[in-house]
Amino acid sequence: AQSVAQPEDQVNVAEGNPLTVKCTYSVSGNPYLFWYVQYPNRGLQFLLKYITGDNLVKGSYGFEAEFNKSQTSFHLKKPSALVSDSALYFCAVRDGVSGGYNKLIFGAGTRLAVHP
Amino acid sequence: DTAVSQTPKYLVTQMGNDKSIKCEQNLGHDTMYWYKQDSKKFLKIMFSYNNKELIINETVPNRFSPKSPDKAHLNLHINSLELGDSAVYFCASSQTSGGRTDTQYFGPGTRLTVL
């Protein structure tokens, strides 16, 4: 079965510093990977996805993620953190079901706290 | 313009009651989902419908019954509510083309509290 792991419950970073939120995956076949962000009392917002192609994927709000097949990782990164980036971040993998349909399997989430 | 909307945003009710949550998407997608986020923020899929047809049912208790009147709407009805049903329920939608599902877009969530 497909799965993702987010090894850090919380990441703390100072505003202006680079940030990394880690994600590792376990899949059979080609991985389809996603990052979502959840702001307090809000729904999930799509940030970016990796399907195929370049290992560095660029997404919304200046975020990017690096797909590393040998390390089975898909870490989320941003060169310069903002206080407004403070939120809960979810990594997800697409899991195929019969009929060609899919569902998302989510990691446990990582809370990012950016301090002024 | 709201892409995926849910009503109500908050729902507080007593154990044993029956309640419904509604979801609508104006993205023209053909596939819709219900996810449950528990108190530890863990997200898990419950159901998925494609063109009004149930395609995913993740061993959810049969007190939960999804209904899709058309491909733009997916409602969730819950009978005999229990304390453990307290959670945030998210609706999502995506477009399935050629049997491969595109990005899922989520609604704002419905926070259900069972007293």
Side-chain angles (χ1 to χ4, degrees):
Chain A
Q2 325 285 49
S3 66
V4 291
Q6 294 181 243
E8 301 155 317
D9 290 336
Q10 178 150 333
V11 170
N12 297 299
V13 64
E15 188 174 30
N17 282 1
L19 69 87
T20 298
V21 182
K22 296 180 180 177
C23 173
T24 58
Y25 64 88
S26 174
V27 304
S28 54
N30 293 323
Y32 291 73
L33 298 157
F34 301 79
W35 275 102
Y36 285 84
V37 59
Q38 184 177 20
Y39 296 101
N41 299 314
R42 302 278 295 277
L44 277 78
Q45 294 181 31
F46 168 71
L47 278 179
L48 50 82
K49 66 182 177 184
Y50 173 83
I51 303 296
T52 186
D54 286 343
N55 290 342
L56 187 63
V57 180
K58 293 192 183 298
S60 306
Y61 313 121
F63 283 94
E64 58 190 27
E66 187 170 8
F67 171 71
N68 187 316
K69 189 172 182 178
S70 63
Q71 297 185 6
T72 62
S73 67
F74 188 55
H75 301 332
L76 182 70
K77 300 182 179 186
K78 188 173 182 180
S80 178
L82 300 171
V83 172
S84 57
D85 292 330
S86 299
L88 186 57
Y89 290 81
F90 290 96
C91 183
V93 65
R94 198 167 75 182
D95 188 12
V97 297
S98 62
Y101 301 104
N102 300 278
K103 59 185 179 183
L104 288 177
I105 306 296
F106 284 90
T110 298
R111 191 165 299 282
L112 173 67
V114 182
H115 305 285
Chain B
D1 290 339
T2 302
V4 183
S5 59
Q6 297 178 226
T7 54
K9 190 174 173 69
Y10 299 97
L11 186 53
V12 181
T13 188
Q14 299 287 332
M15 275 176 51
N17 284 352
D18 304 338
K19 291 293 179 186
S20 292
I21 307 171
K22 296 186 176 182
C23 177
E24 176 180 3
Q25 55 93 5
N26 63 6
L27 296 168
H29 290 164
D30 60 3
T31 306
M32 297 184 72
Y33 310 79
W34 278 110
Y35 287 82
K36 179 180 180 180
Q37 185 175 45
D38 63 22
S39 58
K40 296 185 178 179
K41 305 297 184 184
F42 185 68
L43 275 157
K44 192 172 190 302
I45 190 165
M46 301 173 68
F47 301 103
S48 177
Y49 270 73
N50 175 262
N51 284 322
K52 303 192 296 176
E53 181 181 347
L54 180 67
I55 54 172
I56 296 175
N57 183 339
E58 287 286 300
T59 60
V60 178
N62 58 15
R63 298 183 295 103
F64 291 78
S65 52
K67 285 185 172 55
S68 182
D70 55 62
K71 71 176 188 178
H73 296 83
L74 179 62
N75 303 323
L76 183 64
H77 189 75
I78 316 170
N79 289 327
S80 304
L81 278 154
E82 300 177 357
L83 292 176
D85 297 332
S86 294
V88 180
Y89 293 85
F90 287 102
C91 178
S93 74
S94 69
Q95 179 62 30
T96 299
S97 53
R100 296 182 60 176
T101 309
D102 206 343
T103 303
Q104 293 183 25
Y105 293 92
F106 285 76
T110 296
R111 183 176 296 277
L112 171 65
T113 303
V114 183
L115 304 174

